[in-house]
């Protein structure tokens, strides 16, 4: 930008970044734009995926994080931040989905998510335990007991 503003020409070159000094230095110059071309790898055969191949890959791909967050927020009526925590912590969204399925009509998805975000995560962080110690079915039963008033949340 400084060169252009000063009316000077920009040299086509490869530059090296010096992290210690915070500056860049010329490594080698390029004579023409074609010096920047990329050449095909001779040992790789060209691939032309068919529509069937593309569909197989799409079907095998897991749900992407942004789509999963949006789905959980829409389906369960939870906040975007709650959905973000569930999806960003490895395995937590799967755990919550199994607990919601196990709870059925005995507990709302929001209740399950609140338990997962608060008590379950706190327990895992404090104890260093694995989520497998408290199965989704056990959490669903706990949410149902609290929801029915059989036990208190505390």
């Amino acid at each position: 930008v400084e060169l252009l503003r000063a009316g000077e020409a920009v040299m086509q070159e490869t530059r090296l970044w010096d992290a210690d000094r915070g500056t860049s230095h010329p490594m080698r110059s390029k004579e023409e734009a074609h010096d920047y071309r990329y050449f095909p790898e001779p040992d790789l055969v060209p691939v032309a995926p068919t529509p069937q191949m593309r569909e197989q890959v799409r079907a095998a791909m897991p749900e992407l994080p942004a789509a999963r967050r949006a789905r959980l927020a829409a389906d369960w009526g939870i906040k975007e931040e709650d959905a973000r925590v569930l999806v960003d912590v490895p395995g937590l969204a799967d755990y919550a989905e199994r607990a919601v399925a196990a709870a059925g009509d005995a507990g709302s998805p929001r209740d399950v998510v609140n338990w997962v975000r608060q008590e379950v995560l706190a327990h895992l962080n404090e104890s260093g335990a694995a989520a497998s110690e408290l199965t989704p079915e056990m959490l669903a039963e706990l949410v149902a007991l609290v929801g029915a008033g059989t036990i208190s949340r505390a």
Side-chain angles (χ1 to χ4, degrees), residues 21-147:
R21 297 182 184 186
T23 59
S24 68
H25 306 282
M27 254 175 55
R28 59 184 169 271
S29 65
K30 301 290 186 175
E31 299 296 324
E32 301 287 332
H34 68 266
D35 289 334
Y36 287 96
R37 288 184 302 180
Y38 293 94
F39 298 97
E41 171 60 49
D43 295 330
L44 297 177
V45 296
V47 176
T50 65
Q52 292 83 8
M53 290 170 68
R54 291 179 187 188
E55 191 52 44
Q56 284 177 333
V57 169
R58 262 190 217 98
M61 286 180 58
E63 186 176 20
L64 296 177
R68 193 172 196 185
R69 283 191 300 269
R71 178 178 59 79
L72 292 176
D75 290 355
W76 292 352
I78 61 175
K79 297 177 190 169
E80 176 66 28
E81 179 58 27
D82 290 337
R84 181 173 301 284
V85 170
L86 292 177
V87 173
D88 289 352
V89 175
L92 198 59
D94 293 335
Y95 179 88
E97 286 191 281
R98 289 195 316 268
V100 166
D105 295 334
S108 76
R110 272 197 255 182
D111 291 337
V112 172
V113 170
N114 286 337
W115 275 87
V116 169
R117 284 230 33 213
Q118 295 169 17
E119 282 79 6
V120 172
L121 277 180
H123 173 70
L124 295 178
N125 289 336
E126 289 172 10
S127 68
S132 61
E133 287 184 12
L134 177 65
T135 67
E137 294 75 20
M138 293 166 75
L139 178 62
E141 183 179 353
L142 183 61
V143 170
L145 290 170
V146 171

Side-chain angles (χ1 to χ4, degrees), residues 11-29:
M11 299 294 298
Q12 291 187 17
E13 60 190 3
T14 301
R15 299 187 63 87
L16 176 66
W17 177 253
D18 184 343
D20 295 331
R21 297 182 184 186
T23 59
S24 68
H25 306 282
M27 254 175 55
R28 59 184 169 271
S29 65

